[in-house]
Tab-separated table of all heavy atoms in Angstrom:
chain	number	residue	atom	x	y	z
B	650	VAL	N	-13.466	46.343	11.801
B	650	VAL	CA	-13.092	47.057	13.016
B	650	VAL	C	-11.739	46.881	13.474
B	650	VAL	O	-10.978	47.774	13.851
B	650	VAL	CB	-14.094	46.627	14.234
B	650	VAL	CG1	-13.581	47.156	15.563
B	650	VAL	CG2	-15.599	47.199	13.986
B	651	GLU	N	-11.267	45.585	13.432
B	651	GLU	CA	-9.950	45.307	13.864
B	651	GLU	C	-8.886	45.803	12.966
B	651	GLU	O	-7.744	46.063	13.329
B	651	GLU	CB	-9.817	43.707	14.040
B	651	GLU	CG	-10.740	43.201	15.126
B	651	GLU	CD	-10.435	41.945	15.668
B	651	GLU	OE1	-9.501	41.241	15.214
B	651	GLU	OE2	-10.946	41.484	16.743
B	652	GLU	N	-9.264	46.092	11.780
B	652	GLU	CA	-8.275	46.797	10.747
B	652	GLU	C	-8.284	48.333	11.097
B	652	GLU	O	-7.437	49.013	10.564
B	652	GLU	CB	-8.857	46.551	9.297
B	652	GLU	CG	-7.990	47.081	8.205
B	652	GLU	CD	-6.580	46.667	7.981
B	652	GLU	OE1	-5.922	46.448	9.059
B	652	GLU	OE2	-6.099	46.481	6.934
B	653	GLY	N	-9.232	48.754	11.921
B	653	GLY	CA	-9.330	50.141	12.229
B	653	GLY	C	-10.052	50.961	11.128
B	653	GLY	O	-10.037	52.229	11.264
B	654	TRP	N	-10.722	50.353	10.230
B	654	TRP	CA	-11.518	51.079	9.246
B	654	TRP	C	-12.910	51.298	9.864
B	654	TRP	O	-13.857	50.601	9.293
B	654	TRP	CB	-11.556	50.249	7.889
B	654	TRP	CG	-10.246	50.144	7.173
B	654	TRP	CD1	-9.044	50.345	7.699
B	654	TRP	CD2	-9.994	49.443	5.911
B	654	TRP	NE1	-8.071	50.095	6.799
B	654	TRP	CE2	-8.601	49.493	5.688
B	654	TRP	CE3	-10.902	49.092	4.952
B	654	TRP	CZ2	-8.039	49.064	4.527
B	654	TRP	CZ3	-10.308	48.523	3.730
B	654	TRP	CH2	-8.881	48.567	3.528
B	655	LEU	N	-13.000	52.262	10.623
B	655	LEU	CA	-14.291	52.542	11.358
B	655	LEU	C	-15.176	53.439	10.600
B	655	LEU	O	-16.357	53.525	10.831
B	655	LEU	CB	-14.039	53.128	12.692
B	655	LEU	CG	-13.095	52.438	13.581
B	655	LEU	CD1	-12.892	53.039	14.926
B	655	LEU	CD2	-13.512	50.980	13.840
B	656	ASP	N	-14.749	54.015	9.503
B	656	ASP	CA	-15.522	54.761	8.536
B	656	ASP	C	-14.962	54.745	7.134
B	656	ASP	O	-14.029	53.976	6.931
B	656	ASP	CB	-15.850	56.220	9.112
B	656	ASP	CG	-14.543	56.890	9.576
B	656	ASP	OD1	-13.437	56.666	8.953
B	656	ASP	OD2	-14.495	57.666	10.512
B	657	GLY	N	-15.385	55.629	6.349
B	657	GLY	CA	-14.801	55.604	4.954
B	657	GLY	C	-15.590	54.803	4.014
B	657	GLY	O	-16.616	54.107	4.384
B	658	GLU	N	-15.217	54.862	2.703
B	658	GLU	CA	-15.822	54.223	1.578
B	658	GLU	C	-16.125	52.824	1.715
B	658	GLU	O	-17.256	52.290	1.610
B	658	GLU	CB	-15.169	54.565	0.293
B	658	GLU	CG	-15.949	54.418	-0.900
B	658	GLU	CD	-15.143	54.618	-2.199
B	658	GLU	OE1	-13.912	54.923	-2.076
B	658	GLU	OE2	-15.769	54.599	-3.234
B	659	VAL	N	-15.095	52.086	2.015
B	659	VAL	CA	-15.256	50.620	2.097
B	659	VAL	C	-16.329	50.165	3.221
B	659	VAL	O	-17.191	49.394	2.956
B	659	VAL	CB	-13.925	49.813	2.314
B	659	VAL	CG1	-14.096	48.349	2.634
B	659	VAL	CG2	-12.978	49.963	1.050
B	660	THR	N	-16.062	50.695	4.416
B	660	THR	CA	-16.921	50.349	5.469
B	660	THR	C	-18.331	50.737	5.224
B	660	THR	O	-19.300	50.007	5.511
B	660	THR	CB	-16.366	51.018	6.799
B	660	THR	OG1	-15.030	50.684	6.907
B	660	THR	CG2	-17.193	50.620	8.009
B	661	GLY	N	-18.554	51.988	4.671
B	661	GLY	CA	-19.855	52.378	4.306
B	661	GLY	C	-20.520	51.519	3.272
B	661	GLY	O	-21.670	51.076	3.449
B	662	LEU	N	-19.810	51.011	2.332
B	662	LEU	CA	-20.320	50.089	1.296
B	662	LEU	C	-20.794	48.713	1.872
B	662	LEU	O	-21.747	48.106	1.539
B	662	LEU	CB	-19.303	49.853	0.197
B	662	LEU	CG	-19.399	50.753	-0.999
B	662	LEU	CD1	-18.099	50.434	-1.907
B	662	LEU	CD2	-20.589	50.556	-1.808
Side-chain angles (χ1 to χ4, degrees):
Chain B
V650 168
E651 298 201 346
E652 178 68 319
W654 295 9
L655 306 182
D656 47 34
E658 196 181 2
V659 168
T660 305
L662 271 172

